[in-house]
Amino acid sequence: MRDTWLIFRHNTRITLRNKFAILITAAQPLFFLVLFGPIFATFGTWETLVPGLIIQLGLLSAGMAGFGVVFDWRSGVLERLRVTPAGRLPLLLGRVLNNTFTLVVQTVLLVAVAYLIGLRAPLLGVLGAMALVVVLGVSLAALSYAAAMRLNEHLFAPVMMTAVWPLMLLSGTFLPMSMAPQWLSTLSYVSPFRYVLEAMRELFAGTYASGVVAVGVLVVAAFAAISLTVGTRVFSRDNA
């Protein structure tokens, strides 16, 4: 635990020194919120749109966390970490928790702006959704690090961006998948983000004890377990 905390604290200090980077990652969902939100509100609700933008933010923020490993490779930071007494798991978890912290800060900013322009979700529902965001952030960051360790450094960005957009659209980020053709709606069930997003929308609507929320919680928990297992194995093997 001590090594994890030290790695987390070190990386968080670096992150907080570069506040512009936190804002720039959240810029795209914020643009959608401010520029697309008023149009969406004419036929939908903010409580439907904002959870979708949170999923978008998670994929663009924690989902691209592996860039940090790419830069550390180039600068020789990983080589220096290999000779430290810190375990390989704390080295990964410290980074993952820092990325999750960043995602939470960005999500709070997004929700705050959403409240200013029309969101009226209950606080309890928002807090419940934030708990899902934490678990989702851990999952995405761990997988992103695994991908960065296994892919060529020049391929990481194009491969991840190619994967992010289909996952985003299949989750129903901008419009609920119930509005999609049957074949597309069926296809979207392969994405864990659909279940998490539907759970968030239920929570934002003030529904807490529902099957949709329960399924979303179970899916994101299983996704986190798989992601951490994969991330730990890859990170440990490549830094042995």
Side-chain angles (χ1 to χ4, degrees), residues 2-234:
R2 180 176 177 275
D3 289 342
T4 300
W5 167 250
L6 290 175
I7 297 297
F8 167 73
R9 188 176 63 181
H10 171 72
N11 283 279
T12 300
R13 285 175 176 172
I14 295 174
T15 300
L16 292 177
R17 287 196 203 108
N18 191 8
K19 297 179 179 63
F20 180 73
I22 298 177
L23 292 175
I24 201 66
T25 307
Q28 191 171 103
L30 283 170
F31 283 144
F32 274 104
L33 177 68
V34 175
L35 302 179
F36 176 65
I39 300 173
F40 185 89
T42 62
F43 61 87
T45 65
W46 292 101
E47 290 73 27
T48 298
L49 177 64
V50 174
L53 296 180
I54 292 173
I55 294 293
Q56 181 191 32
L57 178 59
L59 287 166
L60 293 173
S61 181
M64 304 303 288
F67 269 121
V69 168
V70 173
F71 293 138
D72 286 350
W73 252 338
R74 291 176 179 173
S75 62
V77 172
L78 282 184
E79 291 294 330
R80 293 193 292 273
L81 286 175
R82 286 174 177 172
V83 298
T84 65
R88 298 304 178 243
L89 181 58
L91 287 176
L92 173 66
L93 289 180
R95 289 168 174 267
V96 164
L97 291 176
N98 169 62
N99 297 123
T100 304
F101 168 76
T102 302
L103 176 59
V104 169
V105 171
Q106 293 168 329
T107 302
V108 169
L109 173 62
L110 179 70
V111 171
V113 174
Y115 269 113
L116 291 176
I117 60 180
L119 177 67
R120 294 297 178 266
L123 179 60
L124 183 59
V126 173
L127 292 176
M130 289 298 295
L132 294 179
V133 167
V134 170
V135 182
L136 187 64
V138 169
S139 309
L140 286 169
L143 274 186
S144 184
Y145 283 124
M149 298 292 286
R150 304 311 296 166
L151 292 172
N152 179 285
E153 61 180 280
H154 302 294
L155 289 177
F156 176 76
V159 168
M160 293 301 290
M161 289 307 297
T162 300
V164 159
W165 280 101
L167 288 171
M168 198 181 298
L169 295 172
L170 283 175
S171 70
T173 296
F174 303 112
L175 293 170
M177 293 309 295
S178 58
M179 301 174 64
Q182 185 60 44
W183 68 269
L184 188 57
S185 178
T186 301
L187 180 61
S188 71
Y189 281 109
V190 303
S191 169
F193 307 110
R194 170 169 181 164
Y195 303 94
V196 181
L197 176 52
E198 289 180 346
M200 284 187 182
R201 283 176 171 154
E202 288 277 292
L203 292 168
F204 269 62
T207 303
Y208 311 121
S210 73
V212 173
V213 174
V215 169
V217 171
L218 290 175
V219 168
V220 77
F223 184 49
I226 294 170
S227 300
L228 284 172
T229 300
V230 171
T232 301
R233 286 181 178 177
V234 173

